[in-house]
């Protein structure tokens, strides 16, 4: 089953257009029951502390939990409990969250989805239309590093239609245990270790980590003929795999003119795209990111044959045969 719910925060114009929300051949076949969009006209729910089923095993943050079946009638309100209180950043609505989670049905205790087995946390925006309202209301104001258990009535879950593919009926209350790993917003930057920039033939990239656009100085020389991908800030996260989706800040410039054709820094948005799908748009960008560590700022120089070649987007600053320069802050991946 294809993931329906991974919405882009920003589609880089001229880079990639995604007609569907998904991450290609990554583990989406097992993830369709993840918190999908629920654009509801219902008023905000009343948040109560319970009832909530007991977590009977896997009680530590980051461990796959085992949750008892619900007993009695679930609340008609949204039940929320912070099981483990974190001390990280406070999450706000419209932030992106990185989280592991397990979801099951109150009445039966049937687990319909979990990210722990996939070993790839969910990365999704906490915004109306991109996540079920139960998550949106329950997680805003919580801190990263927290484990939160919630019980979501249908009104703030999948509604009266449920999610038949996942075995969820329109009358089912859903129980989630959520480990909030990290959150990101438009002011987020890579926080890796600075790497010396000693090659005079390559652009120099600023190392500020305040969310502002890093200045790029392109040398007045001919561009390299081959793809270049090098760290400006080297993070300590996992290396990106070719089948993953990346959440990032980025900017793209044209080597010859130094003009920017797209950027998220300072725009109030982030960008999210699947590397497999980027292969069909700007192959060099996908290749340059593959293998790089999460938490890094990367400089990527894309020769024409791995960019737009002789068919650039119309009406922009990219011309036939343009070499492209990207800086990408890799914030998260799934």
């Amino acid at each position: 089953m294809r993931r329906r719910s991974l919405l882009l925060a920003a589609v880089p114009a001229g880079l990639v257009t995604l007609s569907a929300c998904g991450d290609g051949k990554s583990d989406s076949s097992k993830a369709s029951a993840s918190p999908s969009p629920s654009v509801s006209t219902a008023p905000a729910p009343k948040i109560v502390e319970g009832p909530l089923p007991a977590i009977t095993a896997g009680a530590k943050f980051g461990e796959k939990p085992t949750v008892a079946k619900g007993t009695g009638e679930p609340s008609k309100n949204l039940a929320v409990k912070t099981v483990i209180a974190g001390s990280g950043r406070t999450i706000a609505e419209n932030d992106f969250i990185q989280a592991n989670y397990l979801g099951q049905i109150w009445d039966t205790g049937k687990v319909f989805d979990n990210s722990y087995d996939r070993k790839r946390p969910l990365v999704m925006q906490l915004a109306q239309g991109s996540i079920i309202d139960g998550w949106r209301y329950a997680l805003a104001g919580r801190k990263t590093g927290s484990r939160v258990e919630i019980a979501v009535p249908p009104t703030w879950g999948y509604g009266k239609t449920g999610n038949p593919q996942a075995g969820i009926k329109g009358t089912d209350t859903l129980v989630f245990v959520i480990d909030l790993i990290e959150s990101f917003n438009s002011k987020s930057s890579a926080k890796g270790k600075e790497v010396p920039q000693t090659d005079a033939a390559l652009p120099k990239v600023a190392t500020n980590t305040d969310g502002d656009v890093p200045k790029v100085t392109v040398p007045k020389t001919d561009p390299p003929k081959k793809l270049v991908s090098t760290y400006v800030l080297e993070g300590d996260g996992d290396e990106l795999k070719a089948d993953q989706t990346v959440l990032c800040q980025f900017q793209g410039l044209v080597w010859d003119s130094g003009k920017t054709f797209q950027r998220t820094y300072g725009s109030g948005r982030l960008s999210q795209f699947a590397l497999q799908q980027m292969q069909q748009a700007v192959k060099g960008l996908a290749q340059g990111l593959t293998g790089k560590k999460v938490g890094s700022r990367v400089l990527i120089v894309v020769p024409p044959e791995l960019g737009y070649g002789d068919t650039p987007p119309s009406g922009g600053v990219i011309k036939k045969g343009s070499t492209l320069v990207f800086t990408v802050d890799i914030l998260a991946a799934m």
Side-chain angles (χ1 to χ4, degrees):
M1 290 177 280
R2 186 175 181 81
R3 181 184 294 277
R4 303 181 302 158
S5 57
L6 196 59
L7 301 188
L8 300 180
V11 178
L15 285 180
V16 61
T17 300
L18 304 183
S19 59
C21 300
D23 50 355
K25 297 179 182 178
S26 63
D27 298 297
S28 57
S29 62
K30 300 179 182 178
S32 65
S34 67
S36 308
S38 176
V39 181
S40 173
T41 57
K46 179 181 179 181
I47 295 178
V48 297
E49 294 184 352
L52 286 163
I55 298 173
T56 58
K60 295 180 181 178
F61 184 91
E63 291 183 339
K64 178 184 174 180
T66 300
V67 183
K69 185 173 70 172
T71 57
E73 289 295 319
S75 175
K76 301 298 183 183
N77 300 306
L78 179 62
V80 182
K81 179 182 180 182
T82 298
V83 180
I84 299 171
S87 58
R89 183 174 174 272
T90 300
I91 296 169
E93 187 166 359
N94 295 318
D95 284 357
F96 276 80
I97 58 168
Q98 181 183 44
N100 273 313
Y101 69 97
L102 178 140
Q104 68 183 46
I105 297 171
W106 175 282
D107 288 336
T108 64
K110 177 188 174 183
V111 175
F112 56 83
D113 193 22
N114 85 88
S115 67
Y116 298 91
D117 289 346
R118 292 191 294 274
K119 301 187 185 304
R120 288 189 180 180
L122 174 76
V123 177
M124 187 175 282
Q125 193 175 21
L126 201 68
Q128 187 175 29
S130 64
I131 202 164
I132 59 172
D133 284 341
W135 277 50
R136 186 164 65 92
Y137 288 115
L139 299 182
R142 310 288 163 171
K143 291 182 180 292
T144 57
S146 297
R147 167 170 283 192
V148 181
E149 184 180 9
I150 64 178
V152 183
T155 301
W156 297 285
Y158 293 98
K160 294 180 180 179
T161 59
N163 186 329
Q165 289 181 317
I168 298 170
K169 302 190 297 292
T171 56
D172 284 335
T173 289
L174 308 178
V175 177
F176 292 95
V177 176
I178 306 163
D179 286 336
L180 296 168
I181 300 168
E182 190 53 273
S183 69
F184 309 94
N185 61 24
S186 60
K187 296 182 180 180
S188 297
S189 288
K191 302 290 186 181
K193 180 181 178 181
E194 289 189 25
V195 176
Q197 301 179 63
T198 58
D199 191 339
L202 293 179
K204 297 297 185 292
V205 183
T207 57
N208 57 294
T209 59
D210 54 3
D212 287 342
V213 56
K215 181 180 178 181
V216 178
T217 304
V218 180
K220 297 186 181 302
T221 59
D222 290 337
K225 299 297 184 183
K226 295 183 178 181
L227 178 70
V228 174
S229 178
T230 185
Y231 287 116
V232 176
L233 302 170
E234 184 174 358
D236 57 4
D238 293 336
E239 293 182 354
L240 285 176
K241 296 179 176 61
D243 65 346
Q244 288 190 286
T245 292
V246 60
L247 177 70
C248 64
Q249 294 265 31
F250 87 100
Q251 64 179 325
L253 306 92
V254 177
W255 181 288
D256 289 341
S257 65
K259 292 182 178 179
T260 300
F261 58 86
Q262 188 70 31
R263 75 182 185 202
T264 59
Y265 302 99
S267 71
R269 301 175 298 169
L270 297 176
S271 184
Q272 189 174 6
F273 54 83
L275 294 181
Q276 286 183 334
Q277 290 168 308
M278 183 60 73
Q279 281 276 6
Q280 302 169 21
V282 182
K283 186 178 294 185
L285 181 56
Q287 292 179 359
L289 287 173
T290 302
K292 290 296 187 283
K293 298 175 184 177
V294 173
S296 300
R297 175 170 298 162
V298 182
L299 166 69
I300 302 172
V301 182
V302 179
E305 62 271 18
L306 295 178
Y308 290 105
D310 292 332
T311 56
S314 60
V317 299
I318 303 173
K319 308 302 180 185
K320 289 183 179 181
S322 287
T323 294
L324 308 179
V325 179
F326 293 95
T327 66
V328 184
D329 281 21
I330 306 169
L331 302 177
M334 66 170 292

